[in-house]
Amino acid sequence: MTRLSKQWVQHNQVGIYFVAVLLAIGVGLGLPSASSLLEPFINPVLAVLLYVTFLEIPFVQIRRAFRNARFMAAALGINFVVVPVVVFGLTQFLPQEPVILVGAFMVLLTPCIDYVITFTELAGGDAEQITAATPALMLIQLLLLPLYLWLFMGQQVAEFIEAGPFIEAFVVIIALPLTLAWATEYWAERSSRGAQWQDTMGWLPVPMMGVTLFVVIASQLPRVQDSIGQIASVVPVYVAFLVIMPLLGRFVAGVLGMETGESRALVFTSVTRNSLVILPLALALPSGYALAPAVVVTQTLVELTGMVVLTRVVPAWLVPATPLLTG
């Protein structure tokens, strides 16, 4: 693919995502039987998406980003201290039904580790910092999600969250793609064929994001369609989260004196959630919680709509190129 076509794809990626969503809605509503055929592809397409996404960030920059202890501490603090407080408060407005609450908690308490990188780049943020924080964000949410569910819902629900599916998701969706991306960069530095492979992979992040959205939404939409009345109550909570967290993220970035790129990155890691990666875990819940995946998928749809707004609002107003003065 030529450089011009690659630039076109990157420039029009939001439009591509929405075309993918519309196609997924059409398939999900028109061919609900396709759901069972598409669902097994969720993890594989996520793994490929993460591989080509990680490949976009040079390894040397990731290592440099790891040394930024301030950003790492801020990202972990806002996601695992501030967000749980906000989520607990917002979910008080939901019907206190375990099947609704468990889906909302699972998705809102887990920070995004995939398309947050894309949206951070779209808004002119420091994507290297987000990429460097990804393994830590994934590991810590693996450890803390059962604890948060136990605190917010009781021991019975926490026991349903088995470590196996989450560990499998980490290995298949994070560790393996990251390792392969590093190996590819090592190969590209020493081989023209490797460099050509890396260049070819460079146009794939946007199409793969579109494929991932299509597979996830088309495979899960029948769940949402059949239970739209029950899950409609979560939409205002998801919208409120999209409004509150960017403001808190910007406030923390200002207090810490972060520069523009870091501030935008912190805003996006504070607001984007791990809906695509958490979905396999939601699907592994007992039959009595079969509605939980629909609650997760609903968050995906709300968040994507919100990202279209935030990728414009964050650089234009919330974190402009000239840093806002705080205090």
Side-chain angles (χ1 to χ4, degrees):
M1 177 171 282
T2 65
R3 183 174 299 276
L4 180 61
S5 57
K6 178 180 176 180
Q7 291 175 344
W8 183 91
V9 168
Q10 292 176 333
H11 181 73
N12 294 281
Q13 55 187 303
V14 173
I16 292 172
Y17 299 156
F18 269 89
V19 169
V21 171
L22 290 176
L23 288 174
I25 292 173
V27 171
L29 296 178
L31 295 170
S33 60
S35 173
S36 59
L37 297 176
L38 290 171
E39 195 167 291
F41 290 97
I42 292 176
N43 277 1
V45 297
L46 279 170
V48 176
L49 171 66
L50 266 294
Y51 167 68
V52 295
T53 300
F54 287 143
L55 202 55
E56 288 283 278
I57 310 299
F59 178 46
V60 64
Q61 294 184 22
I62 296 178
R63 288 188 296 179
R64 188 182 307 126
F66 267 118
R67 302 191 186 105
N68 189 343
R70 180 182 62 177
F71 180 85
M72 194 71 71
L76 297 179
I78 201 163
N79 276 299
F80 300 115
V81 178
V82 177
V83 165
V85 174
V86 172
V87 170
F88 180 76
L90 288 176
T91 53
Q92 300 308 301
F93 297 97
L94 289 176
Q96 299 303 296
E97 302 175 15
V99 67
I100 299 293
L101 291 174
V102 72
F105 280 132
M106 287 178 71
V107 70
L108 292 179
L109 292 170
T110 50
C112 183
I113 50 80
D114 41 56
Y115 60 47
V116 61
I117 300 170
T118 297
F119 288 121
T120 300
E121 288 180 328
L122 275 174
D126 193 338
E128 289 82 3
Q129 299 294 342
I130 294 291
T131 305
T134 292
L137 289 172
M138 187 65 184
L139 279 172
I140 294 176
Q141 65 185 262
L142 164 66
L143 297 173
L144 291 185
L145 181 59
L147 174 62
Y148 286 137
L149 289 175
W150 179 79
L151 287 174
F152 296 158
M153 297 188 66
Q155 185 175 0
Q156 182 179 8
V157 173
E159 289 174 349
F160 289 151
I161 306 301
E162 299 177 2
F166 220 153
I167 293 173
E168 179 182 355
F170 175 78
V171 172
V172 173
I173 299 173
I174 302 298
L176 182 58
L178 186 60
T179 301
L180 289 176
W182 286 346
T184 301
E185 291 184 15
Y186 182 85
W187 179 34
E189 290 176 357
R190 290 158 178 79
S191 166
S192 59
R193 184 172 295 180
Q196 184 178 7
W197 171 265
Q198 184 175 10
D199 185 64
T200 301
M201 293 295 100
W203 71 271
L204 277 178
V206 174
M208 279 308 305
M209 185 70 216
V211 171
T212 302
L213 291 171
F214 173 81
V215 170
V216 168
I217 294 171
S219 67
Q220 300 304 309
L221 187 57
R223 298 174 184 266
V224 179
Q225 181 186 10
D226 296 340
S227 310
I228 191 67
Q230 288 179 271
I231 66 171
S233 60
V234 302
V235 174
V237 167
Y238 291 157
V239 172
F241 187 86
L242 284 172
V243 173
I244 293 170
M245 288 314 305
L247 297 174
L248 291 178
R250 177 62 185 98
F251 173 77
V252 171
V255 169
L256 295 177
M258 290 184 172
E259 52 87 20
T260 300
E262 287 180 315
S263 297
R264 293 175 182 174
L266 188 66
V267 166
F268 277 94
T269 190
S270 71
V271 70
T272 51
R273 300 293 90 190
N274 214 13
S275 54
L276 299 180
V277 178
I278 207 69
L279 184 59
L281 184 61
L283 291 168
L285 289 171
S287 57
Y289 289 83
L291 188 59
V295 176
V296 173
V297 172
T298 301
Q299 193 276 339
T300 304
L301 299 175
V302 173
E303 183 172 276
L304 283 174
T305 304
M307 287 303 106
V308 174
V309 177
L310 286 176
T311 52
R312 289 160 173 76
V313 168
V314 169
W317 176 72
L318 194 61
V319 190
T322 300
L324 297 172
L325 296 177
T326 59

